[in-house]
Amino acid sequence: MSTEPNPEPNPAMAPDGDPEVYYLNMGPQHPSMHGVLRLVLKMRGEEILEAEPVIGYAHRAHEKMAENRNYLMFLPNTSRVDYLSGMIYNIAYCQAIEKIMDIEVPERAEYIRIIACELNRISSHLLWFGTFLLDLGGITPFLYCFDDREEILDILDSVTGSRLTYSYGRFGGVTMDVDSAFVARTRAFLARMRDERLPKYRRLVGDNVIFRERCEGVGVITRDVAFRYGVTGPCLRSTGVAYDVRRAEPYSIYDRFEFKIPTRVEGDTMARFDLRIEEMEESCKIVEQAVDGLPEGPIMPAKPKKRYRPPAGEYYFAVESARGHFGTYIISDGTDVPVKLKLRTPSFSNLSSMPDVLRNTMVADTIAIVGSIDVVMPEIDR
Amino acid sequence: MSKPRAEAEHDSDEHETEKMSRILGSSVAELAESSEHADYAKYGYHHVYLANIESIPEITRHFFDAGYLLEMVTCQDRRDDAGTMRLVYTFNHLAHLDRHLVHADVAADAEAPSITSLYQAADWFEREVYDMYGVRFSGHPNLKRILLPEDADFYALRKDFGRIEDAPQES
């Protein structure tokens, strides 16, 4: 195999003869960088002239692995793509295969999936909240968030056996049934979250003058930038576009639940913070409705298939992950191994907008801006 | 302390956008070599086109002007069956669901026109296609590897790369 030697460097980053211009390298092992993200900043003084995110440090070749194994064997990979909202990715892959192969999912399994996915969304937002505040220098909120998040992990652990990398979904249902203890614990968590914790977070953090000063008007993503870069999720909704795959392209049984798609128009870091807090509330609402409506019955089809051979063709299936539009694109040739499986992950496109968003900002705001995007590097690098 | 911040405005009239999508579909179909409707309930998209690689920028312009989002660009190695690489573009409208899949075949050593001048999202997508399949894009501002090491001498998602176990080991 032969290719060209090293590629040309990014022309936007080239020195332009200004003696004041210098370069700053952030990451991939910087303590306040998120995972293994590296940012190369071209600066004059404290102003960022150009920024170039460098990714790929956590590339694990998931799409290549998919071509090397049958559909069932790829299941454990899915939650490792984004280990912070792994349940959503795991269930999304199951839902894609079910849609292609016309596999009917029992009602109870659908409800359990909704509960698990929305709990996972809350835990993902909680982790973002905690680490984002940590980035800005606030240690205390982190301890509260992780207390809440730990409760979710325990609830999900009790039924899936895993804390993060769930392999809970199966084609047609879920592996384990939930019991009354699961339901009681979930209800208790919801009550604490809605009555005590979320109002406290709004008061403790959202109303904090120092916090607001650091976030308001900082890192504005305009609607135009979001559109051209394919930004989705809370980052897109912070620009006033009410796009949420759960509503725009309803899958599973999301059309049965009442919930709002919160939006803001400012597009700044503060808007993204407000949005995620509000989204946790909406997820609580969905979980509550699903727990109330949880029907009795089987959690798997009566006769699960032994082999899965999707009919030849190509398929696209999208869900709303905690970070935005997650698409699974599958090309099948009728065998039990995919010809191609592409994972369209939201953070990839969200992060790609950073050169535009960071241009002409101050270096001190970089951490706030990049933190507010909520990137998960393994999900970008796949 | 925290004052209520402005609410988002509502999206434009749904009827209008649907009409727009029909006009768009027919003008893209004219540019493409073939076009088909697809059963969304089964395939997850509404239209699929096969286009000449040279007409991709013009087709993209139509979607861009109609306010469609570029969801992804990817590639399929079809050299064993058809002797070419197949680029896959998906476009979707955020206000009303209408997904279009555009295929374009290109020889593995040929250059495809870049669409980064319209959609900056294509910047990283095209870099990934180049990284994994070796398809080059003319007019891309910064075409270099993105996920694999800069000095890699292979294209990992090509079928003749083999299995992961066959990857070159560092000695």
Side-chain angles (χ1 to χ4, degrees), chain A residues 25 55 112 119 127 183 204 239 244 259 297 335 360:
Chain A
N25 185 58
I55 62 172
I112 295 172
L119 282 176
L127 182 125
V183 171
L204 179 74
T239 70
D244 185 311
F259 62 100
T335 63
N360 302 328

Side-chain angles (χ1 to χ4, degrees), chain B residues 9-47:
Chain B
E9 60 209 63
H10 280 283
D11 285 299
S12 56
D13 184 20
E14 199 159 303
H15 193 71
E16 277 301 305
T17 44
E18 273 189 29
K19 210 169 78 185
M20 197 174 70
S21 123
R22 277 202 302 278
I23 299 166
L24 170 84
S26 58
S27 53
V28 172
E30 271 173 35
L31 291 166
E33 287 169 358
S34 72
S35 73
E36 269 177 59
H37 287 279
D39 177 12
Y40 170 77
K42 185 164 164 52
Y43 295 101
Y45 48 89
H46 304 79
H47 307 271

